[in-house]
Amino acid sequence: MEKELPSSAKAIIIGGGIAGCSVAYHLAKFGWKDIILLEKDQLTSGTTWHAAGLVSQLGPSAAVTKIRKYTTELYKELEKKIGFSAGLKLNGALSIATTKGRWQELKRQATTAQLFDVHVEVLNINQIKKIYPVINEKDILGGIFMPGDGQADPIGVTNLLAKAAKELGVKIFEKNPVEKILVKNGRVSGVKVHNQTIECEYLVLSTGMWSRQIGEELGVSIPLYPAEHFYIITEPIKDLPKDLAVLRDFDDRLYLKEDAGKLLVGVFEAKSIPAFGKTNKIPNDFSFGEFPENFDHFEPYLEASFKRVPLIEKAGIRKFFAGPESFTPDTNTLLGEVPEIRNFFVCCGFNSIGIGSGGGAGKVTAEWMINGHINEDLFIYDIKRFQRFHSEINFIKERITETLGDLYGMHWPYKQHKTSRNQKLFPYHEELKKAGACFGVSSGYERPLWFALNNEKPELRYSYNYQNWYPSVEFETKNARKNVGLFDLTAFSKYDLKGEKTHSELQKICTANIKNEIGKTTYTQMLNEDGGIETDLTVVCMDKNYFRIVTSAANKEHDKFHILKYLSKEVEFKDVTDDVACLGVFGPKSRSLMSKLSEDDFSNENFKFGASKAIKINNNKIYAQRLSYVGELGFELYIKMNESREIYNLIVSKGKEFNLSHCGMFAMDTMRMEKGYLHWGHDMSPEENQYETGLSFAISYKKNVDFIGKEALLKIKDQKPKKKLVILSLKENKPGFPLLLHDEPILNDGKIIGRTTSGNYSFNFKKNMAFGYVNSEQNLNGKDIEIEVEKTKYKAIIETKPLHDPDNRIIKN
């Protein structure tokens, strides 16, 4: 490896594991020169060296599947090109199910795989035995087989990428620990190594389990922490097939792979053990460290492996391994630019699937750095999906006891974590609890998902079919359409912008013509330079040179980062999310209820749709906006957080006269779909533009401003969109049969023409609804449309207009 450190570089990658080597290779491949990689010990030290090395193509989303597919193809390509083995053995991977729910989950995976050209076979018991002859088929309901999956040698892959990177000019320095990361004017400026400064423009932190504590020293939140991870390697097993597929027995939390005539048996237990518990610090010299054997912890899973593959019981154990593996709060990787320091990127937090996704993650990171954004829906991996509290030691240590197990646990729809809860509570949390709220987490807040009826226990009972909360959502949605519903919107992200240049700068970052008149609201999107949708929001003119942005709860850090990226220092920006509560009073009786609460005039003549006004309730100044995400006459009430409990109780008290009901997030999601309203992260993302989503009405070419993304939009303005958003419903309409979610194939005459993005059952219209994108060249008039769920096709129709209030008469009168 290189010996003499340079004085500067365009980009510095810290960490010589699979991720760091992949980023270095791809930056060089895409044309950046002057790249260096610094490794404090040897390549692969930390986590990579002891990885099981499984590679799998199918991920939880289209973008993640692309990352994984690319990874496998990259390793194959580089093996030939470099002439160096990555130890690839693609004998396939077999996943089995021993419970009904898991069998449904696997069939859903097999169905989704068709969207991404990943070959998946659905198998019965006899077919499973042919592929994995040493298996005990007891209790197995079925399985899926992915012929293109398998395993790789982690050390071989890392050295393969390092060799490829060096051939493209990357300089790699081992035994060179970074002593300090240097920051100047909010940007990365360099690092110190052996007391020598190396200046740089960009930095990538690929330091695995050390990343959190490195970030902490700089005030950067990187939410991951290592758990103890276990596997055993048996003695050689006579007659063990050499071409054995990787086996995943999710219900027993086991994975097995053939290893030179032996079997490696690994586990992802339901409750893991946080590593380094006494100090909460990972020692710098733990590069190739191991933990003492913990046979008591591993034994139940070992016994399960005996039952599944009886050969193991007679083979001795050659190696018991226990080592650190870092996990994130949601078992998804951390990629992208951190919000705290410009040009500081991360590529870490791989949650035990680093070998199978490291190649693609490095490619995405390099593209992100070079372009300044990505044009794929990768919010699931973006570090900006998290907030600062997510990396606090008490939160992350407790959460990873659960998230390691999430990898092999059931991936139920609507699933909520049990650990590290109650981080943020509304002032009226106890009142919501007494009202029967079943809480879910949204942007850290405990937010009602639904409200239990008839004193039932407000708990989610997970299923891939009928949901136990359907009766509540039926009542909530019907009552809000008939009378009035109270929705909690406090978790919405809220930013206040002030200064003489605020309006002109909003015009540059928003696509719509922002109304510069006190009390007016504007619905708009913000784009990246390529026209991809980065944020979906409402802008309110609160006062002269004072605007408020309201956007999605989950996107708080992501949207804030995008706005601040383009905002000058002359505009004062303040995140007021946690200072301002918001309650939604929606439904045909909302105007009557508001008139009981306040002496202000809420008539249509005085308070038009889209207007915002300061009103008084009990002498409290409140900002009321006549907007509604559920598509009803209604008002969003913005209240000082410390006054919100009083206002909440007053609304509930006065609301009794109008049959007011509490309504949760599930009801809101159902109602927004009935109205045809989209959701960022499901129905739109940087992968889509406003012409494809049907949001071109939010583009203003008349304003004489070159807003971000305008040039890209003008190029596609007169072209036919490649895809278009449609509203669908099934011809058979029974709640939860099937359960429509997202990423289900849409077919026309038996051929896949698109995918769903959202799904819900409407009790108001007795329809199984879905949103989705279809190829725009398809003429769908009168054609047989189908949606495929769990390998079964269901006849569907295209709805030509939203189910509820298609002419906007209700919300505007």
Side-chain angles (χ1 to χ4, degrees), residues 247-363:
L247 174 65
R248 292 185 179 90
D249 180 353
F250 290 110
D251 294 316
D252 281 326
R253 298 184 171 274
L254 301 171
Y255 65 90
L256 295 87
K257 71 162 192 169
E258 189 273 334
D259 186 350
K262 305 177 285 292
L263 272 177
L264 181 150
V265 181
V267 300
F268 288 100
E269 66 274 31
K271 188 171 183 182
S272 70
I273 303 169
F276 309 105
K278 290 180 181 177
T279 64
N280 299 329
K281 288 281 184 184
I282 297 96
N284 285 333
D285 62 355
F286 207 79
S287 298
F288 294 96
E290 297 183 38
F291 300 128
E293 291 183 7
N294 188 340
F295 199 77
D296 288 344
H297 187 78
F298 190 80
E299 190 174 23
Y301 305 99
L302 184 61
E303 287 180 359
S305 75
F306 295 164
K307 291 175 185 173
R308 188 55 60 212
V309 181
L311 278 175
I312 298 171
E313 191 168 8
K314 295 173 184 174
I317 296 176
R318 173 166 286 192
K319 169 72 176 172
F320 186 113
F321 176 80
E325 186 86 50
S326 58
F327 287 81
T328 64
D330 60 0
T331 329
N332 285 317
T333 301
L334 304 175
L335 301 181
E337 190 174 2
V338 302
E340 297 91 347
I341 300 172
R342 294 304 308 272
N343 293 354
F344 185 124
F345 285 76
V346 292
C347 184
C348 55
F350 281 89
N351 304 279
S352 260
I353 50 174
I355 307 305
S357 53
K363 172 180 178 280

Side-chain angles (χ1 to χ4, degrees), residues 16-201:
I18 185 83
C21 290
S22 179
V23 174
Y25 164 73
H26 285 98
L27 282 174
K29 181 185 178 184
F30 297 151
W32 273 20
K33 308 297 180 189
D34 199 16
I35 311 296
I36 67 171
L37 184 149
L38 300 170
E39 164 54 50
K40 68 181 175 63
D41 202 317
Q42 294 173 252
L43 295 185
T44 77
S45 66
T47 302
T48 299
W49 71 274
H50 64 69
L54 306 186
V55 293
S56 178
Q57 300 166 85
L58 191 59
S61 71
V64 174
T65 298
K66 281 183 202 169
I67 283 174
R68 294 186 185 178
K69 280 185 72 177
Y70 173 84
T71 297
T72 308
E73 293 306 313
L74 175 69
Y75 298 164
K76 287 185 201 171
E77 178 192 320
L78 288 181
E79 273 192 328
K80 292 176 185 173
K81 191 175 177 182
I82 305 295
F84 184 86
S85 174
L88 273 180
K89 284 175 38 178
L90 302 179
N91 295 329
L94 170 67
S95 296
I96 59 169
T98 59
T99 62
K100 180 190 172 188
R102 183 74 68 181
W103 186 216
Q104 288 182 277
E105 182 179 296
L106 293 184
K107 285 188 284 187
R108 281 179 179 262
Q109 288 179 9
T111 305
T112 301
Q114 298 170 110
L115 294 169
F116 313 129
D117 295 322
V118 175
H119 181 51
V120 178
E121 300 168 14
V122 179
L123 308 180
N124 60 31
I125 301 298
N126 293 331
Q127 292 165 319
I128 289 170
K129 285 287 284 183
K130 282 181 183 175
I131 286 170
Y132 210 93
V134 294
I135 200 168
N136 172 13
E137 68 269 30
K138 188 174 185 291
D139 301 324
I140 296 176
L141 300 179
I144 61 172
F145 182 61
M146 287 169 271
D149 289 4
Q151 57 186 287
D153 170 30
I155 295 170
V157 169
T158 307
N159 284 306
L160 176 70
L161 286 165
K163 282 178 177 289
K166 286 187 76 180
E167 285 190 8
L168 294 171
V170 174
K171 293 178 179 176
I172 298 176
F173 298 89
E174 294 182 294
K175 302 289 182 183
N176 276 277
V178 171
E179 294 152 4
K180 190 175 183 181
I181 295 170
L182 306 175
V183 179
K184 189 176 180 181
N185 298 326
R187 287 178 176 266
V188 163
S189 63
V191 298
K192 269 196 173 181
V193 184
H194 301 311
N195 213 28
Q196 175 186 332
T197 297
I198 308 174
E199 295 179 349
C200 69
E201 294 177 50

Side-chain angles (χ1 to χ4, degrees), residues 729-747:
S729 66
L730 298 185
K731 287 187 176 180
E732 287 181 43
N733 287 293
K734 194 176 175 186
F737 297 94
L739 184 68
L740 294 178
L741 296 167
H742 52 78
D743 288 323
E744 293 107 356
I746 302 169
L747 302 99

